[in-house]
Amino acid sequence: MATYTYEADVVIAGAGLAGIVTAYELMDHGKRVLLVDKDKPEKLGGLAKESFGGVHMIDTPLQRLARIRDSPELAWNDWRECARFGPDDHWPKAWAKLYCESSAEYIWDFLTRKKVRFLPIVNWVERGLYRPYNTVPRWHVTWGTGWEIVFRIVSALDAHPNRRNLEILFEHEVNAIETSAGRAIAFAGRRMVDGSPYRARGEHLVIASGGICGGDLSKLRENWYRPWGPPPQVILNGAHDYGDGLLHDRVKELGGSLTHMDKHWHYPAGVHKPGGRRPNDGISLVPPRSALWMNAKGERIGPTPLVSYTDTRFLVEQICRQPGQYSWQILNRKIALKELGVSGCDYMTAFRYKNRLLLAKQLIRGNRELVDRLIAECPDDIVVASSLSELVDKMNERGLYGFKVDRKAVEYYVTEYDNQIDRGPGYYNDDQLRRITVYMNYRGDKVRTCSFQKILDPKAMPLIAIREFILARKSLGGIQTDLQGRVLKTDGTPIEGLRAVGESAGFGGGGIHGLGSLEGTFLGACVLTGRVTAKAIAGTNVRSA
Ligand SMILES: Cc1cc2nc3c(=O)[nH]c(=O)nc-3n(C[C@H](O)[C@H](O)[C@H](O)COP(=O)(O)OP(=O)(O)OC[C@H]3O[C@@H](n4cnc5c(N)ncnc54)[C@H](O)[C@@H]3O)c2cc1C
């Protein structure tokens, strides 16, 4: 079989957000770029195209307009609090600091110049449980979701005055990195259509192939974070089909350093994806804050009740420690209409299609379209009933590994919670109600939180229970890189000619997030690592730390 050959100044393996941003920046510097991706043309942009499009940025015009006083110093404090970096985390810290110091220049300016627009209300996610994470709101919601981010960047690539310098190969798997005298000189692999080999030679090679949380999840299970105990039997896949760590392995074989491979960013409320390609494909629900979160036996998880928008890692860890390692959320239709959401663009149609009227309607009347669709499409994970007894019966038809929810326990927790609400705010001694009280004080939360909603309120019926699984999404660790994006060996010296960006590089330095993310830092760090690395390749703005 003949080997196809290609050549460019820079060859990039992976055309997700990190890959296309790197390509754009290189084209700005007059480089000839070859983007090679295993996936089909309609998937150009990778996971970012499916994402909700929340971007973490610091001291932006939108924050200032809303009188949110933010600064790189405050953000850096928050980042460290959440990341809990270790003494060896030199490069992760260097990248994280750079993010905090220059998100306005590297991310905000880049995206807004491509005509990406954000909603005026900055969301306040991941604010921490008892220690402050995001001290102030920083999650900027893209009007049009992540789909729009990709659309705008791809449009900018197409309209670029140097467009002739860019070639994109789809359905080409990269499965080898060729070296000569210690320098990486070419990617090699096979064409998916006919299996024929190809070779793509470049002066610089950039790995942008994403994380290891996708594929058949075997890499994730191998690298499971052991302090949480064994991985759950059911983990839903919310990442990329090709996120199998193939190129991470190749880097390791070359002596490259992979760090923090056991750190991941999972979500606690995954349900099976309707029409998913594989049985464990999942979608990640935004867990309603007014729902009661219970384990497989129907016990309310505690003593600290689980409430979203605080500390996602804490939620995931608690569920991993429960019997069965899956959970139930109990709520009613009124709560679902106001608070239920899906992380991603597919279900959030008002955002995805930039429909202001629909968004206004959903904020006033609730998102009926979404709730009805989820109920209809997820019958295995979402049950509806007109009484608690009927709800428990339906939950028990869906118990796994022999677990059944205890009817009396469910009744007790629901009634106890409702009784507290009846007594009035002056008597709220339940941590969930206390947190909801605080949520009601921020505009961005108030519009999407029920005002102390009882579960058994006859006016809020029917009841709903959602069976939720851990959903794997993002790899926090990866290929270790310096501030020029150069892939480092275990002795700290670079592999000449080889760089890594985006999720493959643990979003920078092999673990920019440390133990946890402030959210929205994934898309942001793809833009940051892509731009900084491209500039370093072009010889402008070469950074060191
Ligand atoms: C539903 C959803 C919602 C999300 N919401 C948000 C959000 O609101 N905010 C946020 O910050 N983040 C969010 N994320 C995460 C974010 O989208 C990703 O972390 C980010 O887009 C990763 O970009 P990447 O370019 O590094 O990798 P990817 O998007 O995974 O792209 C990697 C590319 O490399 C290709 N590839 C892989 N292996 C090979 C190979 N061997 N050969 C050739 N090509 C290969 C793949 O086909 C793919 O195109 C979300 C993710 C999902 C799935």
Side-chain angles (χ1 to χ4, degrees):
M1 223 179 231
T3 301
Y4 291 82
T5 55
Y6 306 93
E7 190 156 1
D9 295 333
V10 186
V11 185
I12 304 172
L17 180 61
I20 58 176
V21 169
T22 310
Y24 184 89
E25 193 73 35
L26 286 165
M27 284 161 72
D28 264 359
H29 288 87
K31 298 284 178 193
R32 284 181 309 124
V33 180
L34 176 65
L35 266 170
V36 187
D37 200 288
K38 196 168 169 177
D39 222 332
K40 297 192 166 23
E42 60 272 24
K43 298 285 182 144
L44 178 61
L47 291 179
K49 198 172 179 181
E50 299 169 29
S51 75
F52 187 61
V55 188
H56 179 94
M57 288 178 289
I58 297 137
D59 198 17
T60 63
L62 283 180
Q63 283 177 309
R64 270 175 258 142
L65 203 67
R67 300 215 175 94
I68 297 168
R69 273 177 288 164
D70 201 2
S71 68
E73 295 75 30
L74 183 64
W76 176 226
N77 277 339
D78 290 351
W79 194 300
R80 277 181 295 176
E81 191 65 39
C82 177
R84 294 184 225 165
F85 288 121
D88 299 331
D89 287 333
H90 174 77
W91 293 115
K93 271 199 260 181
W95 275 103
K97 195 151 186 282
L98 180 63
Y99 193 121
C100 295
E101 284 166 355
S102 58
S103 69
E105 175 195 346
Y106 273 98
I107 307 167
W108 171 271
D109 285 356
F110 180 81
L111 293 175
T112 52
R113 278 191 201 133
K114 308 277 163 309
K115 298 196 174 64
V116 173
R117 297 288 174 256
F118 299 94
L119 292 189
I121 297 182
V122 185
N123 274 28
W124 194 7
V125 296
E126 220 55 20
R127 63 191 68 181
L129 196 58
Y130 295 117
R131 301 142 61 126
Y133 285 175
N134 277 313
T135 308
V136 294
R138 298 190 175 109
W139 204 65
H140 296 68
V141 177
T142 305
W143 188 227
T145 72
W147 190 95
E148 177 83 3
I149 294 181
V150 169
F151 170 75
R152 293 288 174 185
I153 297 173
V154 171
S155 303
L157 280 174
D158 282 338
H160 200 287
N162 295 333
R163 176 63 182 88
R164 67 188 179 288
N165 287 350
L166 173 70
E167 190 178 355
I168 310 181
L169 299 175
F170 294 103
E171 298 179 80
H172 279 60
E173 178 190 77
V174 177
N175 55 31
I177 304 167
E178 291 179 9
T179 58
S180 168
R183 185 181 177 91
I185 54 161
F187 285 131
R190 62 182 175 116
R191 296 178 2 146
M192 306 292 279
V193 274
D194 56 8
S196 54
Y198 77 91
R199 188 163 179 264
R201 216 182 144 92
E203 200 185 322
H204 299 273
L205 308 180
V206 181
I207 299 173
S209 55
I212 64 159
C213 275
D216 64 3
L217 296 183
S218 56
K219 259 287 189 300
L220 168 66
R221 286 183 181 279
E222 248 172 65
N223 289 283
W224 183 252
Y225 187 65
R226 292 295 157 192
W228 289 349
Q233 243 171 285
V234 175
I235 301 176
L236 297 183
N237 187 343
H240 204 286
D241 285 1
Y242 298 142
D244 54 9
L246 175 64
L247 293 180
H248 291 71
D249 289 346
R250 293 301 101 90
V251 166
K252 198 171 173 194
E253 286 157 17
L254 291 178
S257 172
L258 304 182
T259 55
H260 299 293
M261 294 295 279
D262 63 342
K263 315 286 187 321
H264 304 281
W265 195 243
H266 306 307
Y267 287 99
V271 294
H272 290 85
K273 184 175 185 169
R277 233 172 35 84
R278 294 164 300 189
N280 68 340
D281 280 347
I283 53 173
S284 176
L285 302 184
V286 177
R289 297 178 251 212
S290 302
L292 288 188
W293 216 321
M294 298 184 178
N295 67 17
K297 292 157 88 175
E299 298 156 345
R300 191 168 174 207
I301 301 174
T304 306
L306 304 194
V307 193
S308 60
Y309 281 64
T310 52
D311 181 343
T312 302
R313 191 180 151 80
F314 172 81
L315 302 180
V316 169
E317 180 174 358
Q318 297 313 304
I319 290 165
C320 287
R321 295 190 188 289
Q322 298 300 315
Q325 298 175 296
Y326 69 94
S327 66
W328 286 101
Q329 278 201 291
I330 295 190
L331 60 156
N332 54 43
R333 184 166 174 87
K334 192 168 170 193
I335 296 173
L337 288 175
K338 188 132 186 144
E339 299 185 9
L340 192 60
V342 176
S343 161
C345 71
D346 279 353
Y347 285 80
M348 307 305 275
T349 47
F351 293 92
R352 159 72 177 84
Y353 297 104
K354 298 193 276 187
N355 188 332
R356 282 174 211 280
L357 201 65
L358 182 61
L359 183 60
K361 214 164 93 181
Q362 288 173 352
L363 286 175
I364 296 164
R365 299 174 50 200
N367 195 341
R368 295 176 189 196
E369 177 204 0
L370 173 83
V371 173
D372 290 337
R373 185 174 160 196
L374 285 171
I375 291 171
E377 293 182 354
C378 307
D380 290 341
D381 293 325
I382 304 183
V383 293
V384 180
S386 51
S387 71
L388 199 54
S389 171
E390 185 193 349
L391 193 75
V392 167
D393 288 342
K394 290 187 172 173
M395 289 162 79
N396 281 338
E397 284 163 18
R398 290 158 178 82
L400 295 181
Y401 328 123
F403 285 112
K404 301 260 182 237
V405 297
D406 177 36
R407 193 175 299 272
K408 289 229 153 23
V410 174
E411 277 167 12
Y412 168 76
Y413 289 116
V414 170
T415 316
E416 199 200 34
Y417 182 79
D418 281 2
N419 286 346
Q420 284 224 18
I421 295 179
D422 269 342
R423 278 183 213 114
Y427 303 94
Y428 288 169
N429 203 18
D430 183 294
D431 227 36
Q432 183 162 349
L433 290 171
R434 288 200 201 110
R435 285 193 184 277
I436 290 173
T437 311
V438 177
Y439 290 139
M440 300 306 278
N441 289 326
Y442 181 60
R443 200 157 61 111
D445 292 320
K446 196 172 175 180
V447 289
R448 293 214 42 233
T449 310
C450 290
S451 173
F452 310 112
Q453 176 57 53
K454 284 165 48 177
I455 307 287
L456 296 180
D457 176 358
K459 292 201 217 88
M461 291 285 135
L463 293 169
I464 297 174
I466 311 178
R467 188 181 63 169
E468 296 172 342
F469 300 91
I470 299 301
L471 177 131
R473 179 79 97 212
K474 293 135 188 167
S475 307
L476 301 185
I479 300 166
Q480 192 169 43
T481 53
D482 65 9
L483 275 190
Q484 299 172 41
R486 294 184 299 182
V487 173
L488 299 177
K489 290 188 264 193
T490 45
D491 65 6
T493 60
I495 299 178
E496 294 303 329
L498 191 61
R499 314 217 181 203
V501 292
E503 197 164 338
S504 67
F507 297 91
I512 191 174
H513 299 97
L515 277 177
S517 160
L518 294 169
E519 279 291 6
T521 51
F522 310 105
L523 295 171
C526 285
V527 177
L528 178 76
T529 53
R531 294 196 69 202
V532 169
T533 302
K535 283 179 193 296
I537 290 173
T540 60
N541 206 3
V542 177
R543 289 175 180 271
S544 57

